[in-house]
Amino acid sequence: MYQPPDAGRWTGRIDSVSDERAFRLHQRIRLLDLSQPFAPAERAAAFIGFACDEGVRRNQGRQGAKEAPAAVKAALARLPWHLPEGVVVYDAGDVVCVDERLEQSQTELGKALGTDARLGILNIDAHFDLRPYDDGPTSGTMFRQILDQDDQVSYFCLGIQRLGNTAALFADAETYRCRYMLEDELTAGPIEAAYEQIEKFAADHDAVMLTFCMDAISAAAAPGVSAPSPFGLAPSLARALIRRIVSHPKTISVDLCEVNPLLDEGGKTVALAAAFCMEALLHFQRLQPRR
């Protein structure tokens, strides 16, 4: 079910009402109701939340992620505005899963590029999320669903942890011809190796989307997730990967997933998620001034 944006989420400190250099995001955000006709600005980005615990419930995980859209937007509201002149940022509301209708909510959230477009999915995650879905979709099946339904899509996962995936899932990744880099490859080797693989992957596709699961981050920095990672990535490394991917001209969207405010410690996972969202906006190639 679609819910239009709530202006009440966008509040915070006001240092000035006239000097835009002192503005924060809550002073610049615009509301966009997708159920009504609209004509967005040319250089624009939009936040849309997915308030859903059903996939995690089916996967026997720790619930609470449905609270993330409200919590992350509230944290974003307080961040300072540093985007280029002429950029507009919208809150486009949320898709909310009701009555355990996960499949309907997934359909409502999704949007196709066209039947002939080659889409590359770059995922920063500790888990493949390629589990079978014979008994229905869960939070661990989505990429298998996509690959089964669209032969124009390819999948590349960065940050995979051996202790977070069974041998069967590694075998499934090979069957589906998924590319991946292990967490220890990312942390032990030069980041340029990852950059090179990202560039090669993007070159094979018409468009790229980034999906970032917060459980890829070390549990010390991101405890508020369903499945914390003791050997997760450092936030600084994840930030560098986000910057590189969103600055690529083929990148069209960014998903940030698996934030659980109910399990957070001092709000630090929510704050980090908001910071990653803002980093993505600041480096999104499509928002930069034309030259």
Side-chain angles (χ1 to χ4, degrees):
M1 179 181 68
Y2 175 69
Q3 287 188 346
D6 178 4
R9 293 178 178 175
W10 298 97
T11 61
R13 173 174 175 159
I14 296 177
D15 294 328
S16 175
V17 295
S18 57
D19 184 355
E20 294 189 0
R21 298 171 302 173
F23 279 13
R24 300 176 188 275
L25 186 53
H26 70 88
Q27 294 173 277
R28 297 296 300 265
I29 197 78
R30 298 186 189 180
L31 304 185
L32 179 62
D33 185 345
L34 297 179
S35 66
Q36 304 296 323
F38 64 92
E42 183 178 358
R43 290 167 59 209
F47 298 113
I48 183 165
F50 187 54
C52 179
D53 267 340
E54 178 59 17
V56 174
R57 186 192 69 79
R58 296 182 188 181
N59 204 25
Q60 302 176 42
R62 303 190 299 171
Q63 298 180 51
K66 69 178 181 181
E67 309 298 332
V72 174
K73 288 178 182 180
L76 273 165
R78 300 188 289 268
L79 295 180
W81 177 270
H82 288 294
L83 290 163
E85 184 177 355
V87 170
V88 175
V89 178
Y90 298 99
D91 178 4
D94 302 320
V95 172
V96 180
C97 180
V98 295
D99 298 329
E100 301 180 357
R101 291 181 290 185
L102 175 62
E103 293 84 351
Q104 178 180 332
S105 300
Q106 289 177 329
T107 300
E108 191 170 4
L109 182 66
K111 181 179 180 181
L113 288 172
T115 57
D116 296 327
R118 297 172 300 162
L119 175 65
I121 300 175
L122 279 162
N123 183 27
I124 301 174
D125 199 346
H127 310 99
F128 282 117
D129 291 334
L130 289 171
R131 295 185 182 188
Y133 52 97
D134 299 336
D135 296 326
T138 73
S139 61
T141 68
M142 70 287 292
F143 296 115
R144 191 175 187 131
Q145 292 174 251
I146 293 170
L147 293 170
D148 281 344
Q149 295 173 22
D150 192 340
D151 59 8
Q152 296 286 355
V153 174
S154 299
Y155 177 52
F156 181 16
C157 192
L158 300 111
I160 286 293
Q161 295 197 23
R162 290 195 184 277
L163 300 184
N165 300 270
T166 64
L169 286 170
F170 277 95
D172 287 340
E174 298 293 336
T175 299
Y176 281 91
R177 298 182 179 179
C178 302
R179 307 183 202 181
Y180 61 89
M181 290 188 72
L182 297 172
E183 169 271 326
D184 50 358
E185 292 179 295
L186 282 173
T187 55
I191 196 170
E192 286 74 18
Y195 291 166
E196 181 179 352
Q197 292 300 313
I198 289 167
E199 292 296 326
K200 288 181 179 179
F201 184 75
D204 292 337
H205 298 89
D206 299 311
V208 170
M209 63 172 289
L210 169 63
T211 179
F212 187 108
C213 292
M214 287 293 291
D215 64 6
I217 301 297
S218 169
V225 297
S226 179
S229 296
F231 296 128
L233 304 177
S236 57
L237 175 57
R239 178 176 63 176
L241 292 171
I242 291 171
R243 287 177 171 180
R244 184 71 174 210
I245 294 168
V246 301
S247 64
H248 195 285
K250 289 186 178 180
T251 301
I252 59 171
S253 70
V254 178
D255 293 342
L256 194 140
C257 313
E258 299 188 30
V259 177
N260 190 328
L262 302 185
L263 300 173
D264 209 358
E265 297 173 4
K268 59 184 178 182
T269 309
V270 168
L272 183 59
F276 282 151
C277 288
M278 184 57 77
E279 286 284 343
L281 284 179
L282 290 171
H283 293 85
F284 211 95
Q285 195 270 346
R286 294 174 180 231
L287 299 182
Q288 304 309 309
R290 290 186 174 87
R291 295 174 181 170

